[in-house]
Amino acid sequence: MSDITTSFTRNSHGPAESLEASASLHDECEDKSSSTSSQEVCRDLKAMQPRWAAVPLRARLRVLRRFNRLMLLNAPSLIRLIADHASLDVMTAEILPLMAASRFLCREASSMLKETRLGWLGRPLWLQGVMASVVRKPLGAVLILAPGNYPLMLASIQTLQALVAGNSVALKPAPGRTAVLRRFVALLEQAGLPKGVVQLVGEDSGQQAVSSGYDLIILTGSAETGRKVALAAAETLTPTIMELSGADPVFVLPDADLALVARALHFGQTLKGGHTCIAPRRIFINEVQKRPLQRELYRVFGGEGDNPAPDPSSKLAQLICSAKAAGGEVVVCGKTQVIFLNAHQARLADIDLFAPWFAVITTHSVEEAICLEGAATHALGASIFGNEREALAIAKRIPAGTITINDIIVPSADPRLPFGGAHRSGFGVTRGREGLLALTRPVSISTRKRGAFHLLPRLRQWHGR
């Protein structure tokens, strides 16, 4: 830890100390920050950030390696802090992807963030004698607005990438999610992160925080929230990265295995109770496949049973009412509302709604399905089932930012891959190489070695006439 302590006063909480001691001291910091204004927290983080950026990258990565070991040891306590989600979902969809992302950064960050020296090839003749390079510098203080559906994994990966890049971080938990992110910060500090480089802000402080003048805001949330954050950030010219709502399509090609499709839809509906931004919502099939797929859905999901109808005032009930009024058919498979629509009714399903539902949309051709997708307002994820070659061709034509072929959701957790959407689903990326680089800015440095003819005394005299 000597590389870190040269830039910071020695932290009394070394990695060998207990998590309880680190968490207790962090609670004291949390209590103090709760009475601190958002502007003061932002100023503190901006003051702290240059000292953290001065810590060599190899030392920052050592913190991540220790953190990864602590994550594994503390997995049971982290699972208990997200008690409203199934333990298996928390382990497989939160903890394991977070650890994989941490290992990815430890392996790859050094090569991704290193200085790029440009050789003579491609250099203009009139720049002979100039040597150029591009360095990556951190952005500064980053505000991360965490979601409630993935309270640990998403915000924590964004935090780790920000730290590796040399930024300081303010973390705003979603309502009811402070405890798990407090434990995450405590683990980082136990792993050697200097106290204060990452600070939690209050769950209800989002409006003040986004107006405080951070150097970057990262939001994972709804399109409605994204619009509000963008308006507030514009007042201080703060750049943003936004992962917003999804209404993901699934393209079922004529040769697709319908049993596999049904199992994939079941996985997408049951993971996190369907509260997943890239859950399948709009299933494009041809008319011939409609009834066979319905039979497979009944087999995998189960029949209607005794499940109660949705609350009449809920958005799901309103969607069902609109679909029936437009001539659509609604059936219940297990606990999931399945809405059968035709191509003319497809726009009804282009909505952001966390609930147990999806729409099966019949089209005359794959080409018509692609056209419908091109007109949709959301573009986050997509899945394609069927012939791999045809699926790859379709993947190049649709606007989604994360596309899986003959699978659903799980491959998007690959830490090497960027994640982001378009249209109402947001802009910018997090995760992967691109996500790490998005937390830096490229700076060009040019060094004149010889041949500065434009600076010769006589040329300056002639040019000044």
Side-chain angles (χ1 to χ4, degrees), residues 230-309:
L231 287 171
E235 293 295 325
T236 53
L237 296 179
T238 303
T240 60
I241 295 174
M242 296 197 180
E243 180 203 320
L244 305 180
S245 311
D248 283 15
V250 176
F251 294 85
V252 182
L253 304 185
D255 64 340
D257 180 347
L258 297 184
L260 174 63
V261 172
R263 294 195 299 273
L265 295 176
H266 183 266
F267 175 83
Q269 288 295 310
T270 55
L271 177 67
K272 292 278 187 172
H275 291 171
T276 299
C277 58
I278 52 174
R281 300 299 181 191
R282 295 174 293 127
I283 321 304
F284 294 109
I285 64 172
N286 62 42
E287 185 66 37
V288 175
Q289 295 170 304
K290 178 179 176 180
R291 295 309 172 193
L293 177 60
Q294 186 174 351
R295 288 193 295 270
E296 290 294 339
L297 292 175
Y298 277 129
R299 187 178 64 82
V300 175
F301 284 74
E304 183 169 351
D306 298 325
N307 295 308

Side-chain angles (χ1 to χ4, degrees), residues 123-384:
R123 180 179 59 193
L125 290 175
W126 42 272
L127 286 178
Q128 293 296 319
V130 174
M131 301 301 294
S133 64
V134 178
V135 298
R136 312 292 311 196
K137 293 187 177 180
L139 296 176
V142 176
L143 171 64
I144 297 176
L145 305 174
N149 59 334
Y150 284 79
L152 177 64
M153 186 268 285
L154 293 178
S156 298
I157 291 177
Q158 294 160 3
T159 298
L160 294 184
Q161 290 197 311
L163 292 174
V164 168
N167 301 287
S168 57
V169 176
L171 257 179
K172 193 205 82 64
R177 301 302 192 186
T178 295
V180 67
L181 287 183
R182 180 184 291 132
R183 180 60 61 88
F184 164 69
V185 176
L187 288 172
L188 280 174
E189 291 178 353
Q190 188 184 359
L193 180 73
K195 203 169 187 63
V197 178
V198 177
Q199 296 189 33
L200 286 180
V201 298
E203 294 177 2
D204 59 351
S205 66
Q207 185 174 355
Q208 296 77 22
V210 298
S211 303
S212 297
Y214 284 91
D215 298 297
L216 176 69
I217 298 173
I218 302 177
L219 166 68
T220 304
S222 68
E224 180 182 355
T225 302
R227 187 179 295 107
K228 294 176 181 178
V229 170
L231 287 171
E235 293 295 325
T236 53
L237 296 179
T238 303
T240 60
I241 295 174
M242 296 197 180
E243 180 203 320
L244 305 180
S245 311
D248 283 15
V250 176
F251 294 85
V252 182
L253 304 185
D255 64 340
D257 180 347
L258 297 184
L260 174 63
V261 172
R263 294 195 299 273
L265 295 176
H266 183 266
F267 175 83
Q269 288 295 310
T270 55
L271 177 67
K272 292 278 187 172
H275 291 171
T276 299
C277 58
I278 52 174
R281 300 299 181 191
R282 295 174 293 127
I283 321 304
F284 294 109
I285 64 172
N286 62 42
E287 185 66 37
V288 175
Q289 295 170 304
K290 178 179 176 180
R291 295 309 172 193
L293 177 60
Q294 186 174 351
R295 288 193 295 270
E296 290 294 339
L297 292 175
Y298 277 129
R299 187 178 64 82
V300 175
F301 284 74
E304 183 169 351
D306 298 325
N307 295 308
D311 182 345
S313 63
S314 67
K315 290 184 177 180
L316 178 56
Q318 294 170 19
L319 170 61
I320 292 171
C321 183
S322 298
K324 289 181 177 178
E329 176 190 358
V330 180
V331 302
V332 180
C333 295
K335 298 180 180 181
T336 303
Q337 302 284 335
V338 181
I339 304 170
F340 288 88
L341 304 171
N342 60 38
H344 299 294
Q345 302 158 342
R347 60 178 179 79
L348 295 174
D350 186 19
I351 62 171
D352 165 34
L353 176 57
F354 275 7
W357 77 279
F358 59 84
V360 177
I361 303 168
T362 55
T363 61
H364 294 98
S365 65
V366 174
E367 190 64 32
E368 183 179 31
I370 294 173
C371 290
L372 289 172
E373 179 59 18
T377 59
H378 296 90
L380 189 57
S383 295
I384 309 169

Side-chain angles (χ1 to χ4, degrees), residues 68 71-72 74-80 82 87-101 103 152-153:
N68 229 34
M71 275 287 296
L72 189 60
N74 288 274
S77 63
L78 289 166
I79 291 172
R80 288 193 295 271
I82 314 178
S87 298
L88 181 62
D89 283 355
V90 176
M91 190 67 197
T92 58
E94 302 260 13
I95 294 174
L96 292 181
L98 174 55
M99 293 176 63
R103 288 193 293 268
L152 177 64
M153 186 268 285

Side-chain angles (χ1 to χ4, degrees), residues 376-416:
T377 59
H378 296 90
L380 189 57
S383 295
I384 309 169
F385 287 86
N387 177 269
E388 184 178 328
R389 184 174 181 179
E390 186 177 354
L392 286 169
I394 294 171
K396 296 175 182 178
R397 299 179 58 191
I398 58 178
T402 297
I403 301 171
T404 60
I405 295 175
N406 292 321
D407 201 348
I408 201 163
I409 299 178
V410 171
S412 68
D414 187 334
R416 301 169 298 174

